[in-house]
Amino acid sequence: MTVPLIELKDLTVDFPVGGNWVRALHGVSLTIRRGEALGLVGESGSGKSVTWLAATKLLPAKARIDGEVLLDGKPIQGLTRDQMAGVRGKRVALIFQDPTSSLNPVHRVGTQIAESVRLHRGFDAAAARAEAKRLLDRVHIPSAARRLDDYPHELSGGTNQRVMIAMALAGEPDLLVADEPTTALDVTIQAQILDLLAEMRRETGMALVLISHDLGIVADITDRVAVMYAGRIVEEAPVDALFDDPRHPYTQGLLAALPDVAGPRRRLTAIPGQVPNPAALPPGCAFAPRCPAAISGCVTAIPSLDAVAADRRTACFRAGHATPWEIAA
Amino acid sequence: MLGYIASRAFRALVTILLVLTFAFFILNATGDPAILILSADAPPEAIEAFREEWGLNAPLWKQYLGYLWNLAHGELGRSMRDGRDAWAVVSERIPVTLAITIPALIIKLVIGISAGIVAALWRDTWVDRLVMAFSVTGYTVPSFVLGLALMLVFAVQLGWLPAAGADSWRHAILPIITLGVAGAAVLARFTRSAMLEVLGQPFIRTGLAKGLVWRAVVIGHAFPNAAIPTLTIAGFMIGSLVAGAVVVESVFAWPGVGRLLVSAVGNRDLMVVQAILLLVTVTMVSANLIVDIVYGFVDPRLRTARGGPARGGT
Ligand SMILES: Nc1ncnc2c1ncn2[C@@H]1O[C@H](COP(=O)(O)OP(=O)(O)OP(=O)(O)O)[C@@H](O)[C@H]1O
Ligand code: SF4
Ligand SMILES: [Mg+2]
């Protein structure tokens, strides 16, 4: 078996909050193979962003990170922040939720893309600018040559996200982590950006991690989905298997909350109750207070993420029981 | 842009007129130049002659209109003390003041901005706390107290530097330090918070995410953004180059514009006071105007604020 592109092993993250350490990530393990697309799904605060910010050392310095990150099988968690700069952009690129504030307001977008091109491919200024224009063409921004000299505030959110994608492509990365790249955008534009991400992955063969609240969004363009809850992965499966046969009550709830294809869009808050505060997690299974399938054992022990089939894992004492979700429409 | 400058210039003109009018009436209402300049026990005929000579017997509104009329013709009037042209009296003091305010400005900018940057980059460390302690002290202690304290230590106790006067360059050192420390304190705090604000923005994370090292992100992405608010306060400091040293000049008996202002007010030497106020307002207002224009260059969001709708389809 070939070495996976990137492997997170038992990643934990603690933040100092008011003099105490609060654990936001409780041992996350994930494997991304070359060229594959993984969806990372969960409600707000479940630790999706922190997972990848920790893996790329982009968290604030005060955060305590433990566990292993292997890139091509080699551990990189020991690298200094500046050494990690050689990994970011070149091996692992990231794009974020709010494209307009993710771009520097005082630099032209062409300059910002060219900066990445020069950094990763050592082009001179003129060549980098030409390459920046080519990248804008690739992400289908009309009249790319003229857009090079625009500032982010002169462009729409969708165009800015295309700029972010162009910038990410500049380093020809092996993995693109897209953290809710469409959450801040209009519905029609969301679809265009997702199409673009899928197209870029086909063209470049890079792997993709798509982070989202929305199982529906992730389903269209990924091969495999990991579901997170309260700082843990609770279920992981190929997309089709997950949709056909969700094993974890939380996943079942997320699916039950999905609108019909024709129906109106709803948020995932359709699962009753709230995500627990990481500083005050319930004992046992963190999902127990909201779980219709909970039994008494669920509040005394934490279920481990176990393989339930060759390619899927679930963390639930009652994995596989159909949960009687009553989701209010 | 031209319309903008014109409207700013008009507002500046109104400001200047208000300041001059206000000062004119306040000074007239609070003292009699004839008595203050000639002294109270001068012979009544002399006082009357002085009044006559300077037109002080006319009704106040007539004096005011006469003043405006002269001003409109570019005449700032004469000093009642020695009959010299008021502008000549004021302008000879400008270089004296600049001799301490320009070096002080350089100290403020260099120390204030770098201390603020260092504090922000090493936030919550001992460096940060040291800078903030200096900063808080620097701007809560009034400059006359700081000036007197420095004078006590370095002039009186240690005898390293002269206490007051302007006979040599060594006399300038304490006034410069007093001015510089106070301004650096303000600027340090301002720069620090501007930097912290910028460092928390998502585009800083983008800079790191694209593979830049921290130093490159700070220099290439944080500085240009943090410069924008810092510019405002620096512009204000430049605007106060001629008039920002009133207190310090008084403490150290430094014969600059500020000290002239204090003595002219004391004597109700109206035209000299008005000339100084005019000078001060004009420099403040033009510094502001320049800052506004520079803003446009530094911050593209202001430049294209009237640039129409967002482009680029999606
Ligand atoms: N810098 C930080 N300091 C303290 N706590 C943090 C910090 N960053 C994240 N957290 C906490 O870590 C937890 C996970 O946050 P994270 O941003 O990963 O959630 P998420 O799944 O990405 O949610 P969202 O969908 O809202 O982006 C949250 O409880 C959050 O409050
Ligand atoms: S372990 Fe228990 S509480 Fe947790 S999801 Fe499974 S059934 Fe529900
Ligand atoms: Mg997030």
Side-chain angles (χ1 to χ4, degrees):
Chain A
M1 199 179 139
T2 54
V3 182
L5 173 61
I6 190 163
E7 241 182 312
L8 316 184
K9 284 189 173 168
D10 208 16
L11 207 58
T12 62
V13 171
D14 301 80
F15 290 108
V17 179
N20 295 312
W21 288 103
V22 170
R23 181 149 289 194
L25 229 54
H26 298 258
V28 166
S29 300
L30 263 182
T31 301
I32 313 291
R33 288 180 288 273
R34 291 194 165 274
E36 84 164 327
L38 172 87
L40 192 56
V41 175
E43 285 164 291
S44 190
S46 53
K48 308 179 296 293
S49 301
V50 167
T51 301
W52 287 98
L53 294 176
T56 53
K57 280 217 162 91
L58 284 173
L59 285 177
K62 61 182 181 163
R64 194 171 66 192
I65 307 172
D66 264 310
E68 263 192 296
V69 182
L70 305 175
L71 184 67
D72 298 328
K74 292 183 210 68
I76 58 167
Q77 76 273 15
L79 298 184
T80 65
R81 292 180 158 256
D82 280 358
Q83 287 168 335
M84 268 308 283
V87 172
R88 292 190 294 246
K90 182 98 201 107
R91 306 295 317 276
V92 182
L94 300 100
I95 63 173
F96 305 102
Q97 177 167 340
D98 182 356
T100 303
S101 60
S102 294
L103 289 164
N104 190 327
V106 306
H107 294 321
R108 301 173 195 281
V109 296
T111 315
Q112 299 190 53
I113 300 172
E115 183 179 40
S116 288
V117 173
R118 298 176 68 171
L119 190 64
H120 298 299
R121 300 203 231 144
F123 285 12
D124 65 22
R129 187 176 159 88
E131 176 64 10
K133 191 225 157 238
R134 206 182 63 78
L135 286 165
L136 286 185
D137 278 331
R138 268 181 81 190
V139 297
H140 310 307
I141 291 181
S143 357
R146 268 180 290 147
R147 296 291 80 82
L148 284 177
D149 290 326
D150 285 343
Y151 290 94
H153 74 275
E154 299 175 303
L155 302 172
S156 65
T159 305
N160 279 331
Q161 196 59 289
R162 289 176 191 270
V163 170
M164 286 293 291
I165 294 171
M167 208 156 87
L169 295 177
E172 300 173 323
D174 299 308
L175 169 65
L176 174 63
V177 177
D179 190 349
E180 306 199 28
T182 63
T183 308
L185 306 176
D186 292 345
V187 178
T188 48
I189 293 158
Q190 287 191 8
Q192 295 172 9
I193 295 293
L194 292 173
D195 286 348
L196 177 67
L197 286 174
E199 179 190 336
M200 293 302 119
R201 188 167 79 89
R202 278 196 306 276
E203 278 183 12
T204 62
M206 67 182 176
L208 174 70
V209 169
L210 179 63
I211 297 177
S212 176
H213 290 119
D214 192 336
L215 256 180
I217 282 186
V218 160
D220 293 339
I221 65 168
T222 59
D223 317 317
R224 197 159 53 95
V225 176
V227 179
M228 282 190 82
Y229 188 78
R232 289 191 170 84
I233 291 178
V234 295
E235 174 147 36
E236 190 191 330
V239 174
D240 296 339
L242 191 88
F243 273 74
D244 294 345
D245 177 21
R247 302 281 176 91
H248 195 282
Y250 182 58
T251 316
Q252 293 168 359
L254 292 182
L255 282 170
L258 275 185
D260 298 331
V261 180
R265 296 181 73 87
R266 275 186 279 114
R267 301 289 280 180
L268 293 179
T269 45
I271 296 180
Q274 277 175 355
V275 181
N277 176 347
L281 284 186
C285 175
F287 190 55
R290 301 170 75 187
C291 180
I295 51 175
S296 60
C298 296
V299 296
T300 50
I302 298 175
S304 56
L305 184 61
D306 296 324
V308 290
D311 51 0
R312 52 188 305 182
R313 300 184 292 164
T314 306
C316 172
F317 294 126
R318 308 193 68 199
H321 288 248
T323 313
W325 280 107
E326 299 279 348
I327 304 287
Chain B
M1 193 69 192
L2 273 178
Y4 174 72
I5 293 179
S7 89
R8 283 297 305 242
F10 177 75
R11 270 173 43 201
L13 219 60
V14 173
T15 310
I16 292 170
L17 199 65
L18 283 176
V19 169
L20 293 180
T21 305
F22 189 70
F24 185 93
F25 287 104
I26 290 286
L27 286 175
N28 266 298
T30 53
D32 183 344
I35 290 174
L36 286 162
I37 288 177
L38 297 180
S39 97
D41 32 69
E45 312 84 69
I47 290 184
E48 189 49 38
F50 185 89
R51 287 224 158 103
E52 206 51 53
E53 185 194 343
W54 292 97
L56 299 177
N57 285 326
L60 203 52
W61 63 268
K62 254 193 171 161
Q63 293 184 38
Y64 176 65
L65 288 184
Y67 168 67
L68 287 189
W69 178 258
N70 288 337
L71 195 61
H73 290 78
E75 284 169 34
L76 293 174
R78 287 178 297 135
S79 164
M80 292 183 210
R81 261 177 78 89
D82 51 14
R84 286 169 63 211
D85 182 56
W87 177 245
V89 173
V90 172
S91 57
E92 71 190 16
R93 302 293 190 103
I94 296 177
V96 182
T97 289
L98 292 182
I100 57 170
T101 52
I102 289 180
L105 178 69
I106 293 169
I107 291 180
K108 291 178 203 178
L109 294 176
V110 171
I111 296 186
I113 292 179
S114 36
I117 290 171
V118 166
L121 291 179
W122 281 273
R123 185 188 191 171
D124 293 336
T125 64
W126 65 270
V127 196
D128 184 21
R129 281 188 278 275
L130 189 75
V131 169
M132 288 318 286
F134 156 77
S135 175
V136 169
T137 325
Y139 76 79
T140 45
V141 175
S143 54
F144 76 90
V145 174
L146 177 65
L148 287 174
L150 288 175
M151 193 192 286
L152 265 176
V153 174
F154 292 100
V156 180
Q157 290 290 322
L158 300 172
W160 291 351
L161 292 165
D167 302 326
S168 74
W169 63 269
R170 297 177 66 236
H171 287 81
I173 293 178
L174 287 179
I176 290 173
I177 293 178
T178 310
L179 284 172
V181 165
V186 174
L187 206 52
R189 193 183 167 89
F190 217 87
T191 306
R192 176 183 181 271
S193 64
M195 276 297 286
L196 287 179
E197 157 86 27
V198 168
L199 290 174
Q201 296 294 316
F203 63 80
I204 295 295
R205 192 180 53 188
T206 304
L208 291 171
K210 78 206 274 193
L212 294 171
V213 296
W214 178 235
R215 158 191 276 282
V217 174
V218 168
I219 294 173
H221 292 273
F223 283 173
N225 282 278
I228 295 169
T230 307
L231 200 65
T232 314
I233 188 96
F236 176 80
M237 288 175 169
I238 292 168
S240 56
L241 275 178
V242 275
V246 176
V247 172
V248 170
E249 285 181 1
S250 301
V251 169
F252 291 100
W254 185 262
V257 177
R259 192 139 171 271
L260 177 65
L261 178 66
V262 172
S263 68
V265 167
N267 292 326
R268 298 299 183 277
D269 195 351
L270 198 60
M271 292 307 137
V272 173
V273 175
Q274 296 290 65
I276 295 177
L277 291 182
L278 191 65
L279 171 70
V280 169
T281 340
V282 168
T283 43
M284 290 295 273
V285 165
S286 10
N288 263 324
L289 194 62
I290 291 170
V291 166
D292 271 358
I293 294 169
V294 175
Y295 254 159
F297 283 105
V298 185
D299 191 344
R301 284 162 297 187
L302 297 179
R303 212 181 310 150
T304 46
R306 299 161 288 266
R311 277 164 273 172
T314 60

